[in-house]
Amino acid sequence: MSDKVYIFDTTLRDGEQSPGATMNMGEKVRLARQLERLGVDIIEAGFPAASRGDFESVAQIAAAVKDCQVAGLCRSVQKDIDAAWGAVKGAAQPRIHTFIATSDIHMKFKLGKTREQVLEMTRDSVAYAAGLCPNVEFSAEDASRSEPDFLVQVVRTAIDAGAAVINIPDTVGYAQPQEYGELIAYLMAKVPNSHKAIFSVHCHNDLGLGVANTLAAIKAGARQAEVTLSGIGERAGNAALEEVIMALNVRKDYYNLETGINTSQIYPSCRLLSMIIGQPIPPYKAITGANAFAHESGIHQDGMLKNRQTYEIMTPDSIGKSSSDIVIGKHSGRHALKSKLDELGYRLTEEQLSQVFQAVKNLADKKKQVFMEDVEAVVLEEVYRIPDKFKLIYLSSMSGNMAIPTAALKMEVKGEEKLLSDFGVGPIDAVFNTIDRLVERKPRLTRYSVNAITGGTDAQGEVTVKLEENSITSVGRASDPDIIVASAKAYINALNRLAKKESDPKAEVDYLASGTP
Ligand code: KIV
Ligand code: ZN
């Protein structure tokens, strides 16, 4: 059996089904390129038959990505398979991923089909897909709740019809690790042609066992793991890529398996996803959370000082999160900044570089240490923000336990300067109320979050705001050492994106895609 585990990333498909994780086309392409840099073997780019937009995103990703396979998901029906093939066929290494449910409950209530009909659809759809594309994956949806001997027949049929990869999903996160490992081993032993395919697993996290089940299946012989960055996905999410990878790496003595992942790209990848979907990485998140390498208790700190391995089983460096990564101070040069940005994959023009350099210098005047995360936030603000209809000129705010929270703002609104002051229940509320009156709109605020980009009281606050008006939603982001200023900028950014979507609903606000490699 091969000692390589293929990493199939489905952040852009199953991950995007996670509430609030919708991405536009430009954001998807940007993330796909980062996944390529991370070293995943297969990117599942979307579900092309779902909508025109999905089809186009998959086709764009297929054209942009060269070093990994690009898969399109489809049901086991010809028109879906045609759509998937149409979207991925331009890829350097295309894959069609077709699926059908095989559990009694899904077949009876969802599909209204008998076992015989499902077997027939499996055969026909895989054979049809294999006639179009040499690389076909077949998934038996809800496999973990399917009758094992029926599953043996389905898998055998799919392999006979030309499937090179067989995926056994735990669709509803029902399986238990040992039981799931046994199911994989059972199928590999009982399916007569199992040696002709790679067995894959796809585990949901409803009982918090997505990663444990994935690892149990790998231990039992599965050689493809379907995962997402930060574990985003349908309902409670999917197995998290970073957790599966670091388990395989840190416990190489136990698994003795390889992957093609460049672990130093793990943190940049999860952080990029978090910026795109506007959801901060929780501080307690395994591997990538802010606390994952923080040692609070005196006993632990003492142990760490004596020997880091007393309480640290992996280093922040190994996932690309360097705590000593101070990149720039007042006296650092433009060249150092450029090479750091190159390392992160940002290709800026000379003019953009000058703009970022100046903004980083200004930040270094306010903040003792400027970390790479700060620089990335500046790049997103300076280079990739959309043209502004509404602009902040200045802001002052007052609050305290003996004052009525008040904000005074000067803004440019459609080319005209306006000044106003208003109150609120707190300083942020006062700022948002004032902005609403200045721009004469009243969107609904559906999400507001603040995240300290790095440690220390002088850290930049990164604010994400989600707005909704007339069924159109938009996410705005901004950062600043002053969280009230960051909040105002994020709110205005969301208003600009809302206005852009309204004026041209088909146009994607592609602030993350342009200019990047
Ligand atoms: O969870 C699931 O079963 C899936 C399949 C379509 C692979 O996402
Ligand atoms: Zn799934």
Side-chain angles (χ1 to χ4, degrees), residues 286-302:
I287 316 291
T288 49
N291 297 349
F293 297 96
H295 300 273
E296 194 71 27
S297 109
I299 297 174
H300 289 205
Q301 288 173 353
D302 181 56

Side-chain angles (χ1 to χ4, degrees), residues 205-217:
N205 211 23
D206 300 65
L207 293 172
L209 293 171
V211 171
N213 283 334
T214 302
L215 292 169

Side-chain angles (χ1 to χ4, degrees), residues 87-127:
V88 297
K89 68 178 179 209
Q93 305 169 60
R95 174 183 288 195
I96 296 178
H97 178 192
T98 184
F99 73 97
I100 191 162
T102 54
S103 63
D104 287 340
I105 185 164
H106 275 229
M107 288 187 293
K108 180 169 176 199
F109 294 103
K110 192 180 83 172
L111 300 177
K113 305 256 179 240
T114 61
R115 287 188 177 186
E116 290 63 39
Q117 287 171 315
V118 165
L119 271 175
E120 196 182 318
M121 285 177 77
T122 301
R123 184 179 314 107
D124 292 351
S125 60
V126 173

